[in-house]
Amino acid sequence: MPVLIGLGVIILFSLLQIGVISQLPLIQGRADLMLLILSAWALNERVEHAWEWTIIAGVLMSLISATPFFLPLFVYLVVTALARALRRRIWQTPLLMLLFIVLIGTLLQHGLSFVSLSIMGSRLPLQDSLTMVTLPSLLLNLLLALPVYTMITDIAGWVYPAELEV
């Protein structure tokens, strides 16, 4: 059941990503809503199906995005692995971990995109890519991290209700 709910949530948020978030750039940078959702979902202590959500979101965003096919899937898998590893070790500060994971995920995604586009023949100046795309995207992701975390925590509480002890 949580995987089916995840499919619906991921499709809903991918539509929101395409229809609204992508139309609100800061310079040339855009927020990656799916990265934020998967980071917040993987950090939640009650979540058991983080990997399934990650694979569904990665394949869906690979189909939607103009980047090389499995790049979003790879980045989302790395972000989920990092979030799950940090959750086991430093679980007291989930918001700080979320900001760190969003920072790493955004830099990884933009770095791999830059490298793959360079290999495919695009001549992108590194300084322009950093100042006009990566840093504004990072700022947008960090600004949206807290509201997304709050929303995903509520969804996780609904999907995985707390058990009452008698």
Side-chain angles (χ1 to χ4, degrees), residues 13-56:
F13 281 107
S14 65
L15 292 174
L16 186 64
Q17 171 79 33
I18 294 167
V20 178
I21 301 296
S22 66
Q23 302 302 319
L24 302 171
L26 178 62
I27 305 177
Q28 293 297 319
R30 288 170 174 78
D32 186 354
L33 194 58
M34 201 59 65
L35 176 78
L36 299 173
I37 289 166
L38 293 174
S39 301
W41 186 255
L43 280 174
N44 197 301
E45 62 189 32
R46 288 190 267 178
V47 168
E48 299 169 3
H49 295 90
W51 292 107
E52 290 89 345
W53 280 46
T54 301
I55 291 170
I56 293 168

Side-chain angles (χ1 to χ4, degrees), residues 40-111:
W41 186 255
L43 280 174
N44 197 301
E45 62 189 32
R46 288 190 267 178
V47 168
E48 299 169 3
H49 295 90
W51 292 107
E52 290 89 345
W53 280 46
T54 301
I55 291 170
I56 293 168
V59 169
L60 182 64
M61 294 311 285
S62 292
L63 292 171
I64 293 171
S65 132
T67 59
F69 187 69
F70 283 107
L71 184 73
L73 177 62
F74 176 74
V75 171
Y76 295 158
L77 286 171
V78 169
V79 163
T80 300
L82 181 63
R84 299 302 271 190
L86 287 176
R87 186 180 62 93
R88 277 188 238 115
R89 304 212 188 326
I90 316 170
W91 60 271
Q92 290 89 0
T93 56
L95 290 178
L96 205 57
M97 286 189 301
L98 176 67
L99 297 177
F100 176 72
I101 291 167
V102 167
L103 172 78
I104 297 297
T106 303
L107 293 178
L108 178 67
Q109 185 172 37
H110 285 261

Side-chain angles (χ1 to χ4, degrees), residues 119-151:
I119 290 171
M120 293 187 329
S122 296
R123 297 196 180 265
L124 301 171
L126 180 62
Q127 184 176 359
D128 289 345
S129 297
L130 284 174
T131 58
M132 296 183 72
V133 179
T134 302
L135 293 178
S137 296
L138 181 62
L139 179 63
L140 286 173
N141 283 343
L142 291 174
L143 286 174
L144 290 175
L146 185 60
V148 168
Y149 179 78
T150 305
M151 188 170 32

